[in-house]
């Protein structure tokens, strides 16, 4: 039986799940993609999408991560954002409950994938809606779950929080405006004790709570946030993946002593997802 476990957003990433963008296209399902579609940008060509996704996979493999692949399905173009359908916890995978009709069918492929690898679900979301982009396992025993009433609602967040609290975890539920799609548009961990965050938008009480837990934040502007500039993937071991287009943040991360792997991902960020959204960590050490 496969024992996939994740007890920290910043532990050394050893296995990850991605999905090729064979059928990906921009859909008007969030404020970011709607803004893109309202402009004059042309729909991305399949080979350009494949090239950018290959850069992401190459960065993961360069960092020594084993990359597993989910089979894409033609009628589910947003499967490429593997973060949302399943979140792996310290006790194993949790099947989420996606909110958008265009994405609800993704559950089937994830059930099949985990079954094929002998990976049993620890829990299955059944109250309200719950999406992985709103779930942050800050470190072992400490979690953060955002709820906007959009993708994740309070009932879905509370159900997962209850399961984690029964395990002795401290969990904070953080409300935010659904304009921002998922909490990982506004906040992501970069390394132990270090996060990136849109301080202009997030509640000062939340920032204070992070400080109380020894987590400080690199500030990211609203403009950069809406280009998915805050959406990064901590690899552990002093490395992080951040989109090449996030130049200011990447410089700040390097100033912190982190090695930044920076694939070009503009065609995905224009649709509402960056490195964090495009990856589902299956296993982390520590």
């Amino acid at each position: 039986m496969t024992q996939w476990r994740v007890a920290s957003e910043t532990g050394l990433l050893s296995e990850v799940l991605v999905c090729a963008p064979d059928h990906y296209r921009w859909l008007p399902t969030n404020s970011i993609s709607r803004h893109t579609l309202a402009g004059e940008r042309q729909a991305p060509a399949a080979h350009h999408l494949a090239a950018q996704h290959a850069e992401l996979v190459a960065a993961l493999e360069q960092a020594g991560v084993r990359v597993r692949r989910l089979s894409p399905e033609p009628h589910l173009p947003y499967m490429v954002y593997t973060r949302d359908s399943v979140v792996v916890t310290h006790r194993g995978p949790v099947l989420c409950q996606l909110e958008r009709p265009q994405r609800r069918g993704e559950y089937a492929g994830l059930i099949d994938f985990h079954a094929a690898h002998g990976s049993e679900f620890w829990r299955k979301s059944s109250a309200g809606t719950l999406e992985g982009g709103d779930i942050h396992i800050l470190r072992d025993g400490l979690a953060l779950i955002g709820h906007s009433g959009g993708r994740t609602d309070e009932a879905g967040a509370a159900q997962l929080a209850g399961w984690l609290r029964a395990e002795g975890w401290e969990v904070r539920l953080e409300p935010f405006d659904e304009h921002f799609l998922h909490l990982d548009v506004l906040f992501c961990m970069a390394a132990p004790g270090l996060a990136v965050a849109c301080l202009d938008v997030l509640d000062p009480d939340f920032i204070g709570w992070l400080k109380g837990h020894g987590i400080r934040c690199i500030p990211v502007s609203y403009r950069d946030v809406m280009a998915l500039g805050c959406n990064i993937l901590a690899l552990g071991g002093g490395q992080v993946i951040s989109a090449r287009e996030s130049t200011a943040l990447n410089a700040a991360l390097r100033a912190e002593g982190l090695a930044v792997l920076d694939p070009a991902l503009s065609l995905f960020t224009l649709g509402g997802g960056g490195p964090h959204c495009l990856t589902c960590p299956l296993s982390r050490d520590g």
Side-chain angles (χ1 to χ4, degrees), residues 35-235:
H35 178 75
T36 297
L37 289 165
E40 297 180 354
R41 295 181 183 272
Q42 293 185 341
H47 66 282
H48 289 149
L49 288 164
Q52 287 200 350
H53 198 265
E55 280 198 45
L56 172 65
V57 171
L60 290 162
E61 292 177 336
Q62 178 184 333
V65 182
R66 181 177 182 180
V67 178
R68 295 186 181 268
R69 291 170 171 82
L70 189 65
S71 298
E73 298 188 47
H75 62 292
L76 297 170
Y78 268 34
M79 280 183 76
V80 68
Y81 297 125
T82 54
R83 173 70 53 168
D84 297 323
S85 298
V86 171
V87 59
V88 181
T89 71
H90 70 300
R91 291 291 301 275
V94 173
L95 183 66
C96 296
Q97 183 97 299
L98 300 185
E99 187 271 338
R100 286 292 189 265
Q102 300 94 329
R103 298 197 64 184
R104 288 178 191 160
E106 293 177 25
Y107 79 95
L110 270 299
I111 289 175
D112 291 346
F113 171 82
H114 283 273
H117 291 84
S119 168
E120 293 188 354
F121 288 100
W122 176 50
R123 294 285 188 270
K124 299 182 180 71
S125 175
S126 60
T129 56
L130 180 72
E131 302 197 0
D134 288 317
I135 302 164
H136 299 261
I137 303 173
L138 303 181
R139 59 172 177 257
D140 194 6
L142 183 67
L144 166 69
I145 307 172
H147 60 93
S148 64
R151 298 307 184 87
T152 296
D153 63 17
E154 191 169 5
Q159 185 180 48
L160 177 58
W163 293 329
L164 292 174
R165 286 168 179 158
E167 296 283 308
W169 282 50
E170 178 182 347
V171 184
R172 180 183 176 98
L173 300 186
E174 184 64 25
F176 67 98
D177 195 299
E178 66 177 298
H179 168 71
F180 295 101
L181 178 59
H182 287 130
L183 188 58
D184 66 1
V185 172
L186 292 168
F187 171 89
C188 274
M189 292 297 295
L194 181 66
V196 299
C198 187
L199 303 183
D200 293 338
V201 171
L202 291 166
D203 190 328
D205 180 67
F206 168 55
I207 302 303
W209 179 83
L210 289 172
K211 288 181 180 177
H213 285 284
I215 299 171
R216 60 188 178 86
C217 297
I218 297 173
V220 181
S221 70
Y222 172 82
R223 179 184 292 275
D224 287 347
V225 155
M226 295 310 290
L228 275 293
C230 207
N231 193 268
I232 65 172
L233 176 69
L235 298 172

